[in-house]
Amino acid sequence: MTAPPPGGPAQRPTQRVVVTSPRTRAPRARRPYSGTREINEQSELGAVYMRTLIRAQRRLGLSVCFVVCGTLGLLPLLFAIEPALGRVRVFGLGLPWFLLCVATFPMLLLAGWFYVRQAERSEREFAELVERP
């Protein structure tokens, strides 16, 4: 056995050893297509995504329109069935005129607010669906 040199054990310079190498030659894993890419490239799947959104928006718009027009359309029928309601006075106006001139606007505002809120919710859900990897 040889004795260590005076002044302590022998000091070797530290050397770094590379254990792994960069993956330059290996093919990279492909990322799945996102829905936005499908829509931008106007592929068949992108068209399905867009048809789904448009169909949901159309259904919502038609249902809100049906409720509003149905409510306003039933007023003449209501007054034809019950003519005594036509003689009722509200704030100095006959009930038919009050409902058509005053009460219609809050109903339209409420229907518009409901439509916008539901349309934005539908768009958020669509965006979440499309952005999934």
Side-chain angles (χ1 to χ4, degrees), residues 49-71:
Y49 281 144
M50 290 308 296
R51 275 195 307 265
T52 303
L53 176 64
I54 291 169
R55 190 176 299 132
Q57 296 282 357
R58 184 183 309 128
R59 189 178 325 116
L60 175 64
L62 288 174
S63 63
V64 169
C65 184
F66 178 75
V67 168
V68 169
C69 292
T71 303

Side-chain angles (χ1 to χ4, degrees), residues 4-5 14 19 30 39 45 47 52 57 67 76 79 84-85 90 94 99 116:
T14 54
V19 178
R30 287 189 169 190
I39 292 170
L45 181 59
T52 303
Q57 296 282 357
V67 168
F79 293 118
L85 287 175
V90 178
L99 290 176
V116 168

Side-chain angles (χ1 to χ4, degrees), residues 36-109:
T36 54
R37 188 170 176 184
E38 294 286 345
I39 292 170
N40 289 340
E41 292 178 356
Q42 297 179 352
S43 69
E44 187 71 30
L45 181 59
V48 169
Y49 281 144
M50 290 308 296
R51 275 195 307 265
T52 303
L53 176 64
I54 291 169
R55 190 176 299 132
Q57 296 282 357
R58 184 183 309 128
R59 189 178 325 116
L60 175 64
L62 288 174
S63 63
V64 169
C65 184
F66 178 75
V67 168
V68 169
C69 292
T71 303
L72 291 176
L74 287 177
L75 287 176
L77 181 65
L78 175 70
F79 293 118
I81 292 173
E82 191 61 47
L85 287 175
R87 292 186 286 276
V88 174
R89 312 269 306 150
V90 178
F91 300 116
L93 290 172
L95 184 60
W97 285 107
F98 177 79
L99 290 176
L100 288 175
C101 297
V102 177
T104 302
F105 296 106
M107 183 184 71
L108 291 174
L109 285 173

